[in-house]
Amino acid sequence: MKKKARRSQETHTNSVQEECECSDDDPAMFGEKVTLKEHKLSVHYFCLLTSCGVYQRGEEDEGIFGFLVEDIKQEARRSARLTCFGCKKKGACVGCNVRSCRKMVHFPCGRKQMFVSQFTGLFPSYCPDHSPSQSLCTGLDISLPRSCSICLDSIDPVLSYSILKCPSCHTSWFHRDCVQRQAHSAGLFFFRCTLCNNKENFQEEMLRMGIYIPERDASWELEANAYAELLEVYKRCDALTCLCNNGCTHSAKSGWFEVIRCRLCGSRGTHRKCSGLKLDTKDWACTDCTQATDGKVHSSISCKRYKLTCQYLIEDAGFVLNCHSLSLRPSLPERSGSPEELLQSLVPQLHPPSVQVEVIGDQALSAGLDLVRRADFDPTQTLSVRSVAKTKEYFLKLLMQQIQECVVFEGPDGSKNLALDSEALREDLYFDVGCLLALSLVHGGPPVGFFSRALYQCLFNYPANRPLNVTHMTPDTHFTHQVTKITEAESLEELKEVMAVSWEYLELAGCNRPISSLKEREALVEDLVSFTIITRMQLPLQRFREGLQTLGVFDQVQLFPSVFCGVFCEAGDHLTAQKIGQLFTINFSEQEEKLKRETPVVTFWRHFLLECEVGRSSISLQDLLRFATGSAKQQAVSAVSSPSISFLHPLTPSPLGFKEGRGSEPESKHLLLPVTSSYQAFKSSMEQAISHHVHLLPSDG
């Protein structure tokens, strides 16, 4: 981020003081605070950026972030007579960008006085009288209770200096301090709306409203050797008597005292000499794995079923197999069938008594995590859901939606990869989420549908032994951008320049090697993709697999990977509130009195669609579309005719919903919206009618 001199002369000049009077050392709010004792100079980074009369004339490593010390001192002398509008002290360095406005402040005082400083272009600042503002979306219901989408504290949905909203989804509200701290932590590559995940429009709007976005990777990606333990390979002899003179931790590159790992679990090792193996032995199974398989594990495995189950794990010994579960697996079908039939074969394991799941509001994921983390949790017990919804089907559906959006996954909707999250590793969230997915599938929950093909291949080796490429990496991540630049380099010189910039990433991946021709690039890219998707993700993948082992789901899927691929990877038509809104034609009444009552109902309708999309309603967009048209797929509806909307006034004797013809089938794709005075009444009527129709909720009569 470079602050260049303005082409035109400003009418007022400001600078920083020789000793910053604000004692706050908060990089997120004021930028990094730098003190040069030899020059008796202390300054915040944001004070330098927003000061009207000082510019970066040096390189980044000169002076303070490119601001030369002499320039800072000269500006301090020029601004020593300028009085701060807030604290009334001298040395104000930030002025309103409107020339006719004479308000001057210190940058920290400017935050208290609601000045907006834009960290882009010429870095202008604006006083409260001239600062930019946001506008409410037409149809946005601000009467509903809101919470900050970052800290989750309650928030008054009134736009102001301290309250901001997302420009895309119009349902995310933020405290200014919360969104600034999120930007400081996430950096340019990961800063986006926490609800709709929009990045481009969200960043542009936040810059306009005075949020500083550092041009760097996320703070959790910059921690040195944060995930170094994931790259360690087990190298220790676990024989009862180690014969190596150099100790059990010594491993030669070859020969009698090379440590070879168990081919099944990878968590035990031995020197060849210490276990009486031959000099050329490469396949070895530890005692625990041999006992777990009734002594049938040798260098050649005869059991076809076991061979299928362990195929991928044997190829990558870094992933640990829970061997004790092999002897407890249920008998699996000898031939393939539909996914429903194969999962049905696991149901006999379920037995009473039932375990009760307490769901508060729509917090399905929290309720599921509380369930699997109980000390007495038994996955073979049947589920009994206690919540407002009163149905297990609704709980499992909501659970699947919330799992897709949790921190263990990243990537676009319908094509998620596992994300590397240190906090999720500490909490063992990967295992818990895998366990919940397995429970949902066996208990009759909806298909997963959001796995990427790369994630499915990493888990179940299907398609078998197919190499991964750049297209399998998660889009819009720092690593993906770096590999893409290497792939797109057109000359050897350009390739070397890109590699020089990405040397830290190459060093971490073990790929920082000299390249003499473009022909060597293919192997380099393949190694980088393998490191990013597999090597650094070994521990999350291992724990996720072990979670999927619950009730034998992982084993069942690995036996028939082609059958289950659609269950995990093929999402249905991705509906959005915008698509549904555009699908319907609205027919207003001709009477002016009715028209006045119908206009706010359209606002209720649009807000209701948004809540259905983000999971804040007990029904989904698919349920609504099926209720109104008889089909849950947008393409099928659009191919026949465009559905329409009219309004159901209180005096109309017809029941809520669509006009009915013979039987229970709709006469036409014509939806009647209830005319109510409040959004809550509208939402309640819609949910009740739609839930009864699609059998999500039990009917009261």
Side-chain angles (χ1 to χ4, degrees), residues 561-631:
S562 61
V563 177
F564 282 94
C565 186
V567 175
F568 285 84
C569 300
E570 293 179 4
D573 297 335
H574 181 60
L575 297 177
T576 63
Q578 183 179 9
K579 291 180 181 178
I580 297 295
Q582 295 173 350
L583 190 63
F584 285 86
T585 301
I586 301 177
N587 300 322
F588 289 99
S589 300
E590 296 182 359
Q591 300 179 13
E592 184 175 354
E593 183 179 352
K594 287 188 176 181
L595 180 60
K596 288 182 179 180
R597 293 198 297 266
E598 292 171 357
T599 302
V601 175
V602 176
T603 299
F604 296 161
W605 161 252
R606 291 170 179 168
H607 188 76
F608 181 67
L609 292 178
L610 283 173
E611 290 205 335
C612 291
E613 180 180 0
V614 300
R616 290 183 176 176
S617 172
S618 61
I619 66 170
S620 66
L621 293 176
Q622 287 82 0
D623 298 330
L624 190 150
L625 194 61
R626 185 184 298 111
F627 169 74
T629 66
S631 173

Side-chain angles (χ1 to χ4, degrees), residues 184-363:
H184 179 76
S185 176
L188 185 65
F189 297 106
F190 292 92
F191 182 51
R192 61 193 69 200
C193 175
T194 55
L195 186 60
C196 69
N197 213 30
N198 180 276
K199 180 179 179 181
E200 183 176 352
N201 294 338
F202 182 71
Q203 289 190 3
E204 181 179 352
E205 177 69 1
M206 292 301 105
L207 284 172
R208 188 179 74 89
M209 296 306 299
I211 299 300
Y212 173 72
I213 309 174
E215 294 180 357
R216 56 165 172 76
D217 208 341
S219 58
W220 57 84
E221 295 285 355
L222 299 177
E223 184 179 349
N225 300 319
Y227 309 108
E229 67 275 7
L230 300 181
L231 305 179
E232 296 180 359
V233 177
Y234 193 84
K235 289 290 184 180
R236 180 184 177 89
C237 176
D238 295 308
L240 294 177
T241 303
C242 181
L243 304 177
C244 180
N245 294 331
N246 295 323
C248 58
T249 58
H250 171 74
S251 178
K253 293 184 178 180
S254 60
W256 290 113
F257 294 105
E258 177 188 5
V259 172
I260 58 175
R261 301 188 302 277
C262 174
R263 65 178 303 183
L264 300 180
C265 69
S267 61
R268 292 290 185 272
T270 182
H271 295 121
R272 292 188 176 91
K273 191 74 171 179
C274 301
S275 294
L277 305 177
K278 295 182 179 180
L279 190 59
D280 59 349
T281 299
K282 294 183 179 180
D283 294 335
W284 169 77
C286 67
T287 304
D288 290 342
C289 293
T290 303
Q291 293 176 351
T293 54
D294 299 327
K296 296 180 181 179
V297 179
H298 303 287
S299 56
S300 62
I301 302 178
S302 59
C303 178
K304 181 178 181 181
R305 185 176 68 188
Y306 184 84
K307 189 173 183 179
L308 283 170
T309 305
C310 299
Q311 178 180 356
Y312 184 60
L313 298 170
I314 291 172
E315 293 171 356
D316 192 348
F319 298 123
V320 181
L321 174 65
N322 186 354
C323 301
H324 298 288
S325 65
L326 296 175
S327 59
L328 303 176
R329 285 185 307 178
S331 58
L332 302 176
E334 296 297 327
R335 61 183 181 85
S336 63
S338 67
E340 293 77 13
E341 293 173 348
L342 296 175
L343 290 173
Q344 193 66 26
S345 66
L346 304 177
V347 172
Q349 301 174 79
L350 304 179
H351 57 77
S354 63
V355 57
Q356 191 171 80
V357 185
E358 296 283 346
V359 184
I360 301 176
D362 59 353
Q363 302 300 314

Side-chain angles (χ1 to χ4, degrees), residues 355 357 363-374 377 379 383 395-404 406 408-409 428-448 450-451 543-551 553 568:
V355 57
V357 185
Q363 302 300 314
L365 180 56
S366 297
L369 293 176
D370 291 340
L371 171 67
V372 299
R373 290 172 178 175
R374 294 179 189 174
F377 170 65
L383 290 181
F395 164 73
L396 295 177
K397 183 175 184 179
L398 189 60
L399 175 66
M400 194 65 69
Q401 293 174 356
Q402 294 180 2
I403 285 178
Q404 180 178 358
C406 71
V408 303
F409 294 103
D428 207 14
L429 190 58
Y430 295 93
F431 175 89
D432 295 336
V433 169
C435 181
L436 287 174
L437 287 178
L439 287 174
S440 177
L441 290 173
V442 176
H443 285 271
V448 178
F450 60 81
F451 279 23
R543 294 301 293 158
F544 192 63
R545 280 196 191 93
E546 292 171 355
L548 286 173
Q549 287 279 3
T550 304
L551 296 174
V553 171
F568 285 84

